[in-house]
Amino acid sequence: MTTWDPAQYLRHADHRARPFADLLARVPDLPGDPARIADLGCGPGNVTVLLADRWPTARITGYDNSPEMLDKAHVEYAGPTPGGGGLDFAHADVRTWAPEGSYDLIISNATLQWVPGHVERFADWIGALTPGGTLAFQVPGNFDAPSHRLMRELAASHGLSDVLRHEDAVHTPEAYLAHLTALGCTADVWETTYVHLLTGEDPVLDWVKGTGLRPVLTALADDLAAREKFLTAYRAALREAYPAGPHGTPFPFRRIFAVARKEA
């Protein structure tokens, strides 16, 4: 299992939170009051708490399979919310998570790319929505970007190609639209390319250390020499692929969004 580092992940928290805010802005009003909400792949909880800003009375549960992330989320955010709702966190594997009871919103932020065959889970999740409820998610659509292509090439040269996700980790917007409408939902699917301006030394490497590179770092945790060899080669490749400018390093990042509303 991949080991996660909340501190490393949160080093780019502002940039990482923006797609969730953009997704949340397109979610319609929820049928329940108080609403019941599930956040799949909640990580350290820093975006899960934004759900309480939108629905102050909601009962919100963040689910994740990383003990490190859940510990951070519990300490920082668990408990009653200012609007009278509640926020808690629980261990769950999104690959097998089955809703208990009904939800007004099931939402997932940059998680489903880690779940092979995740479109096959949509039927169960939508089935658990109350009438008029919503399934919403965003996933990175940048698996053909230099950051990930170079990572895969180097991992293969180190005998680690099987630990990384590949181009088929996510689907096209058209495919998501087809899956969601086939399940009887009214769906809004779109894509956005953010151009993050990152600062600091080797900022793209610093970014992927918190997310996409975690499986490699986990696999090499007990072989520090091999780990450093990999990072040295990857660092050099990223510097060439993403040259620094006078105000920082531009880092284009494509994301795919979907908001599917169940018939009321």
Side-chain angles (χ1 to χ4, degrees):
M1 180 178 293
T2 298
T3 300
W4 292 87
D5 182 345
Q8 181 68 43
Y9 178 84
L10 290 169
R11 283 172 59 83
H12 301 277
D14 289 346
H15 290 301
R16 296 194 199 280
R18 182 179 171 188
F20 185 81
D22 291 345
L23 176 68
L24 197 56
R26 301 285 283 270
V27 175
D29 292 339
L30 301 182
D33 188 14
R36 189 178 184 212
I37 300 174
D39 179 13
L40 306 184
C42 63
N46 60 304
V47 299
T48 310
V49 73
L50 300 179
L51 296 165
D53 295 335
R54 174 76 185 274
W55 293 283
T57 63
R59 295 168 294 158
I60 304 164
T61 302
Y63 294 97
D64 208 284
N65 69 348
S66 165
E68 298 85 2
M69 291 291 202
L70 287 172
D71 286 347
K72 179 71 171 177
H74 273 293
V75 170
E76 295 288 339
Y77 303 111
T81 59
L87 179 57
D88 65 351
F89 299 90
H91 183 275
D93 190 329
V94 178
R95 294 174 295 180
T96 57
W97 179 76
E100 296 181 358
S102 61
Y103 287 87
D104 298 285
L105 172 64
I106 297 175
I107 194 166
S108 182
N109 183 57
T111 294
L112 299 186
Q113 73 275 11
W114 298 98
V115 181
H118 54 264
V119 295
E120 305 305 323
R121 305 293 299 131
F122 291 170
D124 287 344
W125 298 345
I126 291 169
L129 293 174
T130 56
T134 295
L135 169 66
F137 62 88
Q138 72 87 6
V139 290
N142 66 333
F143 285 91
D144 60 349
S147 56
H148 286 64
R149 177 175 48 78
L150 293 167
M151 188 191 304
R152 290 194 300 270
E153 291 173 0
L154 281 169
S157 71
H158 284 71
L160 297 171
S161 58
D162 59 333
V163 307
L164 289 175
R165 301 154 296 155
H166 293 271
E167 295 93 330
D168 59 355
V170 300
H171 299 273
T172 64
E174 293 83 358
Y176 284 125
L177 181 67
H179 279 285
L180 294 167
T181 53
L183 293 169
C185 291
T186 301
D188 180 14
V189 181
W190 72 98
E191 61 182 82
T192 297
T193 298
Y194 299 87
V195 184
H196 302 297
L197 188 62
L198 306 182
T199 58
E201 186 176 1
D202 297 310
V204 177
L205 177 60
D206 193 62
W207 176 292
V208 297
K209 278 183 175 180
T211 52
L213 193 60
R214 297 308 306 175
V216 171
L217 296 177
T218 300
L220 297 178
D222 296 327
D223 190 340
L224 296 183
R227 183 178 185 271
E228 189 54 38
K229 181 180 179 181
F230 180 96
L231 289 175
T232 298
Y234 189 37
R235 181 183 294 109
L238 289 176
R239 285 178 177 176
E240 183 175 353
Y242 299 96
H247 305 292
T249 301
F251 182 40
F253 202 119
R254 174 177 173 259
R255 294 185 184 270
I256 301 169
F257 300 77
V259 175
R261 186 172 184 269
K262 186 175 181 177
E263 184 176 353

